[in-house]
Amino acid sequence: MDNQTELKRTLTLWQVIFLGLAWNTPMIYFSVFGVAYEGSNGFLTAAYMMAVLAVLFTGASYAIMAKKIPVAGSAYTYAKETIHPYAGFLVGWVLLLNYLFAPIIACITFGIFLHAEVPSVPAYVWIIGLIVLLAVIAIRGVSSSANISRLFVILQIIFMVVFCSYLAYGLLHSGGAASLLSAEPFINIDMSLPVVLAGASIVVFSFLGFDTMATLSEETIDPKKTIPKAIFIMIGIVAFLHVGTSYFIQTALPNLSFTDPDSAALELVGVVGGSFLRSVFITVLIAAIFSQGLASVTSVSRLLYVMGRDSILPKKWFGFVHPAFKTPVINIIIASIISLLAIFISIDDAIRFVNFGALSAFFFVNICVITLFFKNKKHSTAAEIVTNLIFPLIGAGFIVWLLALLDLQTILGGLAWVAAGAIYLIYLTGFFTKPLPDAEASENKEPSQVKEAI
C-alpha cells in the first residue's frame, strides 16, 4: 500500500461551503422541529438566535485556527498542536462520536421515511442501499461529493424559501403588509432565558457543519483564506434560513399544536401547503438526508485519515490514500460498516452521541485559540485581545452552558466513551511513559504553517 499518497487540493470556496451545508443539512430544521418546538416552549426564533450567537463565537475560533493551522483533522489537530498531543488524542477521540454517528443518523432517517412511503420494503433494505451508494460516491472523490451536495443543498434552500412564501402569503391575505412585521417571535413576556437556552441546546445541532469544513483543509485551494470565509458564509446562510423560517411560523401560526413531535414537520407542512407541499417536502427531505450522509462519510473518513497518518490509529490502514482516487478508501469502507448500526439503534441515541462529541470539540477549539494567544510572545493589540482571548472565552462559556443542558444519559454515555479513549491513550503511551506515536512529526513532515502557529 502506498501510505505516502497525499490528498489532492481541488475544492473551491463554494464547494467547501456546500459540503458544510450538506453535512449541516438545512432541512434538519424540519427533522427536529417538533422536539425543538416543545423544548423551547414554542419560542423557536429566540432559541435559534441564541444558537447563532453561541456558534458565531466558536465559528470565529475555528476560523482563526483554520488560518493558522490549515491542516486536515480539525479540532483534533488544533488541540494536538497547541495544547498537548494527549489532549489532541482525547479531543479527536470524542470528535469521533460526532463524525461516526452523523452518517448513522442519515441512514436511520432515510430508512424511516422511505419505509413509510413504501411499507412493503423493510427499512433495513433502504439503509443498506444508501450505505453502499454513499460509499461508492465518496470513494470516487471529494469533488464528486461536493458537486452532488451542491445540487441537493440548493433544492433544500429553494423549498425553505417556498415554504416561507406560503406563510407570508397567508399573512398578507389575512392581515395585509403590516402583519409581516412582528416583534413577538423575538420578545415575549412569557419568554425566559432558561427556556430559550434549553431550546438552543437542541437546535445548535443545526449549526455543526463548519467543523467538517475544517477537515477538508488539505483538499482545499488556498485553505488559509478559503476555510475561514466558508465558515462564516455557512453560518450566515443557516442562520438566515432557520431564524427566518421560525419567524414566519411563529408569526403566522402563533397557536400551533401537533399530536406527535416526531411527525410534527409533516403536520406543519400539511397545514401550510396541503398535500402538494407535503409531497414535495418528503421528496426534498429524502434528497437532503442523502446529501447529509454523503458529507458525513466524507468528513469522518478524513478525520480517521489524519489520526492514521499520525499513527494514533494503525497507519497502514487508516493513513492509506488510494493512488488513483486520491481518497482514504479504507476509512470510507470502515465508516460504511459502522453505519450498519443504523439498523439496530434509534435516532435519539445517535443524536446524543453527535451532540456530546460536537460540543466537546467546540469547547476545545476555543481553548486552543486562548492557548495560542498566551503562547504568542509578541505584544498584542486591542483587536487581537478581543478576537483571540475575549471572544473564545465567551464561546467556551456558551458551549459549557449548552453541554450542561444535555440530559444525564447523554453526559454519562459521552463520559463512558471518553473513559474508553483514556484507556486506549494509556495503552499507546505505556502509562504516559512515552509520547504518542506520530510519524508525521518524527519525520518533520508537518506543514510549515503548524510550526509558525505554535
Side-chain angles (χ1 to χ4, degrees):
M1 292 185 182
D2 181 9
N3 288 343
Q4 303 305 315
T5 303
E6 295 181 351
L7 298 171
K8 186 178 179 181
R9 294 191 185 277
T10 60
L11 295 177
T12 63
L13 172 64
W14 282 101
Q15 285 182 317
V16 174
I17 291 169
F18 279 115
L19 276 171
L21 285 170
W23 194 100
N24 218 72
T25 312
M27 290 286 284
I28 197 71
Y29 178 89
F30 294 102
S31 299
V32 302
F33 174 77
V35 176
Y37 193 88
E38 287 192 341
S40 62
N41 279 5
F43 300 120
L44 265 183
T45 308
Y48 273 104
M49 287 293 292
M50 185 63 70
V52 171
L53 186 61
V55 300
L56 270 176
F57 288 107
T58 298
S61 291
Y62 267 93
I64 290 171
M65 295 308 302
K67 185 174 182 180
K68 292 185 175 181
I69 307 179
V71 182
S74 186
Y76 156 70
T77 300
Y78 303 155
K80 177 172 73 81
E81 300 297 343
T82 61
I83 301 175
H84 193 279
Y86 293 167
F89 170 85
L90 289 176
V91 170
W93 183 265
V94 174
L95 197 59
L96 278 176
L97 283 176
N98 179 10
Y99 282 73
L100 287 172
F101 279 85
I104 292 174
I105 292 174
C107 291
I108 294 172
T109 312
F110 191 81
I112 289 172
F113 275 95
L114 283 182
H115 177 62
E117 291 298 300
V118 189
S120 59
V121 180
Y124 71 83
V125 174
W126 295 113
I127 290 172
I128 293 172
L130 178 63
I131 290 172
V132 172
L133 182 60
L134 293 177
V136 170
I137 296 174
I139 286 171
R140 285 181 59 84
V142 72
S143 292
S144 298
S145 300
N147 293 332
I148 292 172
S149 298
R150 176 173 54 191
L151 171 63
F152 288 160
V153 166
I154 290 173
L155 286 175
Q156 294 175 63
I157 293 173
I158 291 173
F159 175 83
M160 296 186 76
V161 171
V162 170
F163 176 79
C164 290
S165 298
Y166 267 82
L167 291 169
Y169 176 79
L171 285 168
L172 281 170
H173 185 71
S174 61
S179 63
L180 292 174
L181 300 177
S182 174
E184 284 291 310
F186 301 98
I187 302 174
N188 191 294
I189 58 173
D190 297 323
M191 189 185 299
S192 66
L193 183 60
V195 168
V196 171
L197 284 170
S201 70
I202 298 171
V203 303
V204 73
F205 176 73
S206 304
F207 295 88
L208 306 185
F210 57 81
D211 180 84
T212 66
M213 292 189 289
T215 68
L216 301 172
S217 290
E218 292 180 40
E219 295 164 274
T220 300
I221 300 170
D222 195 6
K224 294 178 71 173
K225 294 181 179 179
T226 301
I227 299 297
K229 287 181 182 178
I231 288 171
F232 286 111
I233 292 173
M234 194 217 75
I235 293 175
I237 292 173
V238 176
F240 176 79
L241 290 173
H242 292 185
V243 173
T245 304
S246 298
Y247 171 83
F248 280 111
I249 290 173
Q250 284 188 249
T251 304
L253 304 168
N255 300 312
L256 178 66
S257 63
F258 39 83
T259 57
D260 183 2
D262 292 335
S263 60
L266 282 173
E267 296 181 45
L268 171 67
V269 174
V271 169
V272 173
S275 59
F276 171 74
L277 191 62
R278 179 178 169 132
S279 298
V280 174
F281 166 73
I282 292 173
T283 302
V284 175
L285 186 62
I286 289 173
I289 292 168
F290 175 83
S291 63
Q292 189 227 336
L294 181 59
S296 299
V297 170
T298 300
S299 298
V300 69
S301 66
R302 272 55 179 181
L303 178 61
L304 291 171
Y305 163 73
V306 174
M307 297 180 78
R309 186 180 64 183
D310 291 349
S311 298
I312 287 177
L313 296 174
K315 183 177 181 180
K316 182 179 179 181
W317 305 103
F318 293 93
F320 170 72
V321 174
H322 194 280
F325 296 119
K326 306 296 184 183
T327 55
V329 172
I330 295 176
N331 294 342
I332 292 169
I333 294 172
I334 290 171
S336 300
I337 293 172
I338 293 173
S339 294
L340 290 172
L341 286 172
I343 299 172
F344 309 104
I345 67 174
S346 71
I347 192 168
D348 290 342
D349 292 333
I351 288 176
R352 287 191 185 102
F353 284 118
V354 169
N355 282 341
F356 183 90
L359 290 174
S360 298
F362 287 3
F363 171 78
F364 276 100
V365 170
N366 284 300
I367 297 302
C368 287
V369 176
I370 296 170
T371 302
L372 277 184
F373 174 81
F374 285 109
K375 282 186 175 181
N376 187 356
K377 304 300 182 182
K378 298 177 183 178
H379 180 69
S380 298
T381 64
E384 289 173 335
I385 292 173
V386 171
T387 57
N388 291 269
L389 179 61
I390 296 177
F391 281 180
L393 279 172
I394 295 173
F398 265 119
I399 299 305
V400 169
W401 202 334
L402 294 176
L403 276 169
L405 291 171
L406 296 176
D407 63 274
L408 181 61
Q409 184 178 353
T410 301
I411 294 173
L412 292 177
L415 291 177
W417 176 259
V418 173
I423 293 171
Y424 183 46
L425 176 62
I426 290 172
Y427 163 75
L428 287 175
T429 60
F431 283 90
F432 306 111
T433 59
K434 57 183 180 181
L436 279 168
D438 189 335
E440 288 294 303
S442 64
E443 296 171 5
N444 293 319
K445 291 183 179 179
E446 291 177 306
S448 60
Q449 292 96 330
V450 172
K451 297 177 181 179
E452 291 172 4
I454 59 178

